[in-house]
Amino acid sequence: MSAVPPLSESNRRFMSGNEAIARGAWEAGCNLAAAYPGTPSTEILEYAAHYPEMYTEWSVNEKVSLEVAIGASLAGSRALCAMKHVGLNVASDALMSQTLAGVGAGLVIAVADDVGLSSSQNEQDSRFWGRFAHVPVLEPADTQEAYEFVRRGFELSEQFNTPVILRLTTRICHVKGVVNLGQRQEISRNEGFVKDPARLIMTPGVAKKRLPMMFERDEEVQRHSEASELNFIQAGSDRRVGFVTSGPTYMHVREAFPDAPLIKLGLSYPVPFDRIRQLADQVDQLVVVEEVEPLLETELKAAGIELLGKEILPRIGELSPNVLRPAIAGLLGEEVVEEAPVKPPVEIKPPAPRIDPATGINVFPRPPTMCVACPHLGIYYCLSKIRNTTISGDIGCYTLGAGHPWNALDTTICMGASMGIAHGLDKGRVEADKDKKVIAVIGDSTFMHMGMQGLLDITYNKGNVTILLLDNRAVGMTGGQDNPASGRDIHGEEAMQVDFRKLCEALGVKPERIHEVNPYELPTLFTALRQEVKVPEPSVIITNQPCVLVDHYGAQPALTVDDDKCTGCGNCLDIGCPAILVTRRETVVKPNGSEKELAFVKIDSGACTGCDLCPKTCGPDAIVPLANYVRQ
Amino acid sequence: MSENKITNILVAGIGGQGVMTAAEILSQTALAQGFDVKKTEVAGMAQRGGVVTSHVRFGSQVLSPAIPPGEADILVGFEPAEALRWCSHLRPEGVIMINTTRQEPPVVSLGLYDYPEDPVGEITNTGIECHAFDAGAIARELGNFKLVNTVMLGAISELLPFSAEVLKAEILDRFRGRKPTLVDINEKAFELGRQAAADN
Ligand code: SF4
Ligand code: SF4
């Protein structure tokens, strides 16, 4: 990994929002950054880890990462904590109390909302947490601001003794733009941790006394927000419509309506009502442009400011100039060239053809799949073949098991929920399901994030769930980051490696009910699974092969299909390995008159890692090592 | 409105094909030519073989990062079905450059969906200016499938508001630092791509 990028003759850099945030934190003298990986926020910490002046870590979950950051802040160091929107739900417990206690040195919580749902279980609006926790919210509009607002966040945090939320969206995190950089400024550390039990020991008595402080602080920040240059009005010549913007919507509005007056809210909470009224007075109509929830809209309307919002703009997904233009044209009574589309997530469904609707362009979906040779392939293969079960899944790569060809999952709700939900499925079963076995599937990282507690609940409450703990030693879905199961830290350096067998034992699973199996050994896996679902107590089957994305994954020579032996049975396709491709399909009539679909296959030798999984499904032994095949 | 002509390039393909790298190289070249640049991708869970698109926009000032549908000037399709999926993002006078090497996903192998019979033909029928050639074959002949990236950049190099030589230099410089042995072969890939675009 490269160290700090040197500032040569030019300080102009092409950076992603996430990279800019890490850089901004470093320049602002931040000493600690912690996170649990989650799209679209992951790279903030990956970049932060390049700066040796900042202690960085992958925490086991967002609540812990926020607690670590709070600790550092109280110890006198500026601290950054990064997470995706759903992560703040997890961390919210710590947030709600810390907002009362206040901070030490500046504390910034960078929260990335997955607006448009590129890879999340829900679309939620983290600006609500600002209101809920009485915490100021900064909303950068592009990469340059993402970089600058980190420092502003630390400053605000110190000025008002509060954590500050830096609210990001995918269109900040994953956009690269030009950023003008500066240098790191070490901030003179105060005397370190200041003992202050009347603030930091949050008993009911203390909390009660802190509440008036919090409301006073709200008012102070509100006054600051009215005066701050982070919130500014930009004049425009076409006063028919004015806009209230925050975050990336500022850019969309300026692109779509370059001549319209607008207010840009960089510090969007507390809301600068007076400034917005000033703008309202200058224009015929005011429109608030915000992504996801009508949050500002409701507040501004409640404050008696007349405006339009979600009446004319979509409530789902990302906004963009092409969404704004027709909506506003309609408002002005101009001809609407295009329907105001509520765009579906484009990566899943192709957009409707625009060039010639008559051509009816329609392309198959290309949903994400498991990787070639993924150690989970065999597990989902087994799960798809095992009958009379209810399978509770979890998030991450495990969710992919719900797709083709396995269709192996019955639920997926949120991180770590497979445990508790499985327990509920077991305890809440009705007579008709009395013979159904309950299986829970969870990954190593997810288990450590939130699953352990669920397992403890199962063992403590005499549950009966068979747990598949798929230890691939990485946070696979976000790109293979390290965690306590990988035995390496954020810098790739050696670290303690958790022993899941012992951990599960400590959580109350009987030693004889814990099995460790190689997920590429299909028969062993099947036997263990069959045996354990029958046992009326909690069992854990731990699989022990690494994610194929980690750089130390050991690939073997590729396999190939012997055309002379392949009968076209298609069994190997049930494994779901993307390296297995169909070369030709055939319909044959069996002696009994019924028709059978045959699919003859080949293996993409460039992709196959020789994991040796698919040969185990092939009756006629048609899948052979490439070298042997060529030699024959 | 001001004289701010923005060039919009949409790069589309599948996770792992080098879509992001191609977009990065285009962005860096535009940046070095003094443009304001924004680049964004819709990747999500794309590492798992899903659809990846990267939007590159440059001009004197770029505001919104994503290319509005119907406003792309150039579509670089790393895979024919993906080119078909995204061709509606082009402006009517836009240009499409397609690598015709097919990549069939498991849903097609499983027989759940059909791969379009003639994606290039379907695109040509819409009337868009369409150039298609087997960049994958060129890369394989040169001995490294990853060269598809450079071949495709070579293929669009004459369509950009800066010279093909500038783009080539940007690509080769990347290798000069890290893998000098790959400089010559990338230069060849770039030129073959440029040639193929002229011929097709
Ligand atoms: S051996 Fe079979 S399952 Fe394993 S990577 Fe190769 S094709 Fe895929
Ligand atoms: S399982 Fe064996 S025989 Fe059946 S399709 Fe696959 S390679 Fe051919």
Side-chain angles (χ1 to χ4, degrees):
Chain A
M1 283 190 185
S2 72
V4 185
L7 279 181
S8 49
E9 63 294 342
S10 159
N11 62 349
R12 226 166 138 250
R13 282 286 150 69
F14 192 53
M15 285 184 153
S16 72
N18 283 344
E19 194 176 356
I21 289 159
R23 174 72 190 206
W26 176 76
E27 284 188 19
C30 176
N31 285 318
L32 176 142
Y36 180 84
T39 310
S41 67
T42 311
E43 301 80 7
I44 297 176
L45 254 279
E46 292 188 328
Y47 287 113
H50 292 189
Y51 298 101
E53 293 86 349
M54 289 197 285
Y55 165 82
T56 45
E57 71 164 42
W58 290 129
S59 306
V60 290
N61 67 35
E62 298 81 2
K63 180 169 179 285
V64 172
S65 79
L66 179 53
E67 288 159 353
V68 171
I70 288 170
S73 154
L74 294 176
S77 284
R78 283 188 170 180
L80 176 81
C81 175
M83 60 192 69
K84 69 185 289 182
H85 61 308
V86 287
L88 191 48
N89 303 345
V90 177
S92 60
D93 207 10
L95 175 69
M96 297 306 281
S97 295
Q98 205 56 39
T99 183
L100 271 184
V103 298
L107 173 61
V108 172
I109 306 166
V111 186
D113 282 0
D114 186 1
V115 176
L117 288 166
S118 66
S119 59
S120 305
Q121 310 86 269
N122 61 44
E123 185 178 58
Q124 72 190 40
D125 195 329
S126 295
R127 296 177 302 163
F128 275 111
W129 287 107
R131 278 78 178 162
F132 199 9
H134 298 261
V135 160
V137 176
L138 289 172
E139 290 190 70
D142 65 3
T143 2
Q144 176 72 31
E145 286 194 355
Y147 154 82
E148 283 169 13
F149 281 20
V150 186
R151 174 186 299 277
R152 302 305 295 258
F154 284 128
E155 288 165 1
L156 274 176
S157 170
E158 283 159 11
Q159 185 178 351
F160 296 104
N161 192 17
T162 173
V164 169
I165 289 177
L166 184 66
R167 192 254 188 162
L168 312 162
T169 66
T170 313
R171 286 290 170 245
I172 295 292
C173 297
H174 287 173
V175 169
K176 276 185 124 178
V178 182
V179 183
N180 290 303
L181 301 179
Q183 288 294 358
R184 177 171 167 98
Q185 281 164 355
E186 291 295 343
I187 47 159
S188 55
R189 302 249 234 143
N190 60 19
E191 66 268 64
F193 180 78
V194 183
K195 252 185 185 301
D196 191 358
R199 166 162 96 89
L200 299 176
I201 314 276
M202 205 46 73
T203 58
V206 168
K208 221 177 263 172
K209 287 198 195 108
R210 296 293 294 173
L211 285 170
M213 171 290 300
M214 189 174 77
F215 293 121
E216 250 169 60
R217 184 181 70 199
D218 282 355
E219 276 173 32
E220 277 170 36
V221 190
Q222 163 91 47
R223 280 195 293 276
H224 178 84
S225 173
E226 295 282 6
S228 169
E229 82 282 7
L230 290 170
N231 298 327
F232 61 85
I233 292 175
Q234 202 164 308
S237 53
D238 181 356
R239 300 198 168 175
R240 290 179 298 165
V241 181
F243 296 93
V244 179
T245 68
S246 66
T249 65
Y250 166 71
M251 295 295 171
H252 304 327
V253 168
R254 275 193 58 205
E255 178 155 331
F257 306 101
D259 305 323
L262 60 81
I263 182 161
K264 177 185 182 301
L265 305 177
L267 173 56
S268 69
Y269 179 79
V271 184
F273 291 107
D274 293 345
R275 299 291 290 280
I276 296 170
R277 276 198 195 93
Q278 270 174 33
L279 174 68
D281 291 344
Q282 296 170 16
V283 296
D284 300 344
Q285 292 186 84
L286 193 60
V287 175
V288 55
V289 184
E290 54 189 330
E291 284 179 325
V292 193
E293 296 289 340
L295 195 63
L296 284 167
E297 179 181 339
T298 318
E299 289 173 3
L300 296 175
K301 281 179 175 165
I305 301 173
E306 254 181 70
L307 46 68
L308 289 166
K310 297 295 179 187
E311 297 97 331
I312 55 166
L313 293 170
R315 202 149 160 189
I316 302 168
E318 295 185 302
L319 296 177
S320 55
N322 53 298
V323 173
L324 296 176
R325 273 188 213 113
I328 302 304
L331 177 67
L332 294 174
E334 289 169 359
E335 196 200 335
V336 181
V337 212
E338 216 181 305
E339 277 168 43
V342 178
K343 272 210 306 164
V346 282
E347 71 275 26
I348 292 167
K349 261 196 200 159
R354 243 190 102 243
I355 290 177
D356 183 4
T359 58
I361 289 171
N362 185 18
V363 186
F364 58 84
R366 205 187 276 272
T369 60
M370 298 239 195
C371 300
V372 170
C374 171
H376 303 335
L377 294 173
I379 294 151
Y380 284 108
Y381 175 80
C382 289
L383 287 175
S384 70
K385 303 283 175 199
I386 197 161
R387 310 235 163 259
N388 210 22
T389 53
T390 310
I391 303 174
S392 159
D394 223 295
I395 69 155
C397 300
Y398 318 96
T399 315
L400 299 173
H404 298 297
W406 319 280
N407 301 308
L409 298 185
D410 295 307
T411 69
T412 301
I413 306 294
C414 64
M415 184 98 88
S418 60
M419 298 286 127
I421 286 172
H423 187 53
L425 286 167
D426 168 37
K427 293 292 184 188
R429 74 176 72 221
V430 296
E431 188 57 23
D433 283 342
K434 71 176 192 315
D435 297 327
K436 272 207 181 150
K437 315 293 180 199
V438 179
I439 299 176
V441 189
I442 193 163
D444 50 347
S445 185
T446 312
F447 184 70
M448 292 182 286
H449 178 279
M450 277 287 163
M452 296 193 282
Q453 298 85 341
L455 176 55
L456 186 60
D457 192 70
I458 293 171
T459 54
Y460 178 63
N461 292 302
K462 304 190 181 66
N464 176 17
V465 177
T466 304
I467 291 138
L468 282 164
L469 204 177
L470 311 188
D471 177 13
N472 63 5
R473 292 165 210 178
V475 192
M477 180 57 89
T478 46
Q481 287 77 14
D482 285 301
N483 66 26
S486 69
R488 275 178 314 276
D489 66 13
I490 193 168
H491 304 291
E493 279 160 23
E494 220 172 287
M496 156 276 172
Q497 188 169 26
V498 70
D499 181 333
F500 281 117
R501 184 185 275 275
K502 280 194 193 149
L503 178 58
C504 292
E505 226 182 295
L507 289 170
V509 185
K510 289 185 186 157
E512 64 271 27
R513 295 273 71 81
I514 305 173
H515 304 270
E516 200 176 319
V517 300
N518 178 341
Y520 294 107
E521 296 299 335
L522 284 183
T524 324
L525 188 60
F526 238 130
T527 313
L529 195 54
R530 280 237 183 76
Q531 173 195 317
E532 289 309 321
V533 292
K534 284 193 204 121
V535 181
E537 56 186 345
S539 316
V540 180
I541 298 170
I542 305 166
T543 64
N544 59 7
Q545 293 298 312
C547 175
V548 297
L549 294 181
V550 298
D551 36 13
H552 49 278
Y553 173 81
Q556 302 293 313
L559 304 187
T560 191
V561 177
D562 183 337
D563 294 334
D564 296 337
K565 285 192 189 161
C566 177
T567 61
C569 70
N571 283 349
C572 54
L573 290 169
D574 290 349
I575 284 283
C577 176
I580 308 175
L581 303 167
V582 172
T583 50
R584 121 187 103 90
R585 290 180 204 281
E586 236 175 66
T587 312
V588 290
V589 184
K590 291 205 285 193
N592 65 7
S594 66
E595 284 193 349
K596 193 173 188 272
E597 281 287 341
L598 294 182
F600 295 88
V601 301
K602 67 170 182 184
I603 287 176
D604 175 354
S605 58
C608 172
T609 74
C611 77
D612 210 28
L613 197 54
C614 57
K616 296 178 181 108
T617 64
C618 177
D621 288 334
I623 303 175
V624 293
L626 189 57
N628 283 357
Y629 181 65
V630 172
R631 235 179 281 128
Q632 277 166 9
Chain B
M1 282 206 212
S2 56
E3 276 300 302
N4 180 22
K5 163 82 183 95
I6 293 180
T7 302
N8 293 316
I9 306 176
L10 181 65
V11 192
I14 302 157
Q17 277 192 314
V19 167
M20 312 268 198
T21 314
E24 179 72 22
I25 292 170
L26 285 168
S27 305
Q28 293 289 0
T29 314
L31 188 72
Q33 295 300 300
F35 291 103
D36 182 29
V37 190
K38 275 189 181 154
K39 174 182 85 106
T40 184
E41 42 253 349
V42 178
M45 297 149 70
Q47 284 201 25
R48 315 291 170 275
V51 177
V52 192
T53 59
S54 193
H55 300 224
V56 178
R57 309 190 78 197
F58 52 88
S60 59
Q61 192 192 14
V62 183
L63 297 167
S64 185
I67 302 172
E71 289 187 22
D73 300 289
I74 301 169
L75 169 60
V76 193
F78 273 59
E79 205 273 352
E82 293 313 312
L84 178 60
R85 191 191 306 282
W86 292 104
C87 67
S88 61
H89 250 62
L90 275 175
R91 63 170 82 251
E93 62 280 14
V95 183
I96 235 180
M97 190 64 65
I98 306 174
N99 168 23
T100 55
T101 312
R102 294 175 172 223
Q103 291 217 163
E104 298 185 8
V107 289
V108 169
S109 298
L110 290 165
L112 297 166
Y113 292 93
D114 290 328
Y115 193 95
E117 240 164 63
D118 180 16
V120 175
E122 273 186 67
I123 296 170
T124 315
N125 286 341
T126 63
I128 313 172
E129 184 183 340
C130 175
H131 305 265
F133 67 98
D134 196 342
I138 294 178
R140 233 174 291 125
E141 254 162 57
L142 290 174
N144 187 343
F145 199 74
K146 286 189 185 155
L147 290 167
V148 164
N149 223 317
T150 308
V151 177
M152 290 306 283
L153 287 174
I156 61 158
S157 61
E158 299 287 353
L159 304 170
L160 303 166
F162 38 78
S163 84
E165 293 310 315
V166 170
L167 178 62
K168 185 165 86 180
E170 177 73 36
I171 299 171
L172 301 186
D173 279 350
R174 303 189 138 227
F175 290 103
R176 233 166 241 132
R178 281 172 246 167
K179 287 178 182 162
T181 47
L182 293 179
V183 174
D184 287 352
I185 195 141
N186 271 280
E187 179 157 24
K188 217 172 263 168
F190 189 90
E191 289 305 335
L192 287 172
R194 177 143 61 162
Q195 193 57 49
D199 297 346
N200 287 281

